[in-house]
Amino acid sequence: EPEVTQTPSHQVTQMGQEVILRCVPISNHLYFYWYRQILGQKVEFLVSFYNNEISEKSEIFDDQFSVERPDGSNFTLKIRSTKLEDSAMYFCASSGGTGGSYNSPLHFGNGTRLTVT
Amino acid sequence: GDSVTQMEGPVTLSEEAFLTINCTYTATGYPSLFWYVQYPGEGLQLLLKATKADDKGSNKGFEATYRKETTSFHLEKGSVQVSDSAVYFCALGGGGYQKVTFGIGTKLQVIP
């Protein structure tokens, strides 16, 4: 079964540094998402992306965050200047393959654990 | 806005016990409802879903029925196994390809 893959699995960075989290969504999917989960807390929506633009973003997704689909396969999340409170597990998801149903569920990757020190 | 409320854990059960994890939701319109499961060290996997009222989603012995009148989507399993130990998230989607909103997650621990 096709999978969403994320790299790296664990990223350690210093406060103020830029990080790029990478995702390869399922190949025929059209909708892409980033979520995060601070340790022990709920899974929070960050942003959704369709047709090469952001379709929705949450209050968490401020100017420090950006997303990009630089080629036909990758979907990246960039945090420009990391803060301690950005430490979390970041999940990429995709949905909506060609011919998929209107209520196509999200398929998640295994996540990237970001630790900001 | 849309929201999901689920019982907080952890829930500890003996093997072969009956499981219920309660979930209620608030949403405009007619969302799809989901249960996702997160095994230790892994990502979120779709466990089951229901797209309209009175639908029953089922998978791996787990079931949940979309109850519009009580705005609930409780997860049940008749006989849990140690391998079911995980965190279970109730979630709703606004329909189409809109974002999914998650509950806080309920940790289930099954002991032999």
Side-chain angles (χ1 to χ4, degrees):
Chain A
E1 185 175 322
E3 292 182 342
V4 176
T5 56
Q6 291 186 243
T7 56
S9 57
H10 191 189
Q11 174 93 46
V12 181
T13 189
Q14 289 189 326
M15 196 167 53
Q17 295 297 303
E18 174 183 287
V19 293
I20 298 176
L21 309 182
R22 302 181 191 280
C23 170
V24 179
I26 293 173
S27 61
N28 67 341
H29 281 183
L30 304 174
Y31 295 78
F32 314 110
Y33 311 82
W34 283 100
Y35 285 76
R36 78 171 185 191
Q37 183 183 31
I38 295 171
L39 186 63
Q41 298 186 27
K42 69 191 300 182
V43 179
E44 301 173 296
F45 170 76
L46 293 178
V47 66
S48 59
F49 190 87
Y50 169 69
N51 201 25
N52 285 322
E53 61 183 23
I54 291 173
S55 48
E56 186 176 359
K57 61 182 180 179
S58 71
E59 292 177 352
I60 303 168
F61 194 88
D62 61 21
D63 292 344
Q64 293 298 312
F65 291 88
S66 62
V67 289
E68 194 178 30
R69 188 155 162 81
D71 53 40
S73 61
N74 290 284
F75 179 50
T76 62
L77 174 69
K78 181 191 292 186
I79 309 175
R80 288 191 185 82
S81 178
T82 51
K83 303 187 282 286
L84 294 175
E85 53 265 37
D86 293 328
S87 295
M89 182 74 87
Y90 288 81
F91 291 105
C92 174
S94 68
S95 71
T98 51
S101 68
Y102 183 67
N103 289 298
S104 176
L106 273 61
H107 295 258
F108 285 84
N110 282 343
T112 294
R113 181 171 298 284
L114 176 66
T115 302
V116 182
T117 62
Chain B
D2 295 349
S3 66
V4 175
T5 303
Q6 65 180 105
M7 58 190 291
E8 294 199 31
V11 173
T12 302
L13 295 173
S14 297
E15 208 165 19
E16 298 183 3
F18 184 85
L19 168 71
T20 300
I21 299 178
N22 290 336
C23 171
T24 57
Y25 67 90
T26 303
T28 54
Y30 304 97
S32 295
L33 300 174
F34 308 93
W35 278 98
Y36 281 85
V37 59
Q38 184 179 32
Y39 297 103
E42 297 186 15
L44 296 156
Q45 301 176 27
L46 179 69
L47 180 60
L48 54 85
K49 71 172 186 177
T51 58
K52 61 183 188 297
D54 300 325
D55 265 3
K56 178 187 282 188
S58 61
N59 186 25
K60 299 182 182 178
F62 291 90
E63 293 182 341
T65 301
Y66 190 141
R67 301 283 188 203
K68 187 167 177 289
E69 64 276 12
T70 55
T71 61
S72 64
F73 193 55
H74 305 321
L75 182 68
E76 296 181 336
K77 186 174 185 181
S79 176
V80 294
Q81 306 300 312
V82 172
S83 57
D84 293 327
S85 297
V87 180
Y88 292 81
F89 292 89
C90 186
L92 68 84
Y97 304 115
Q98 295 183 37
K99 69 179 184 186
V100 170
T101 300
F102 286 86
I104 198 167
T106 302
K107 184 175 182 178
L108 170 66
Q109 183 177 9
V110 181
I111 54 178

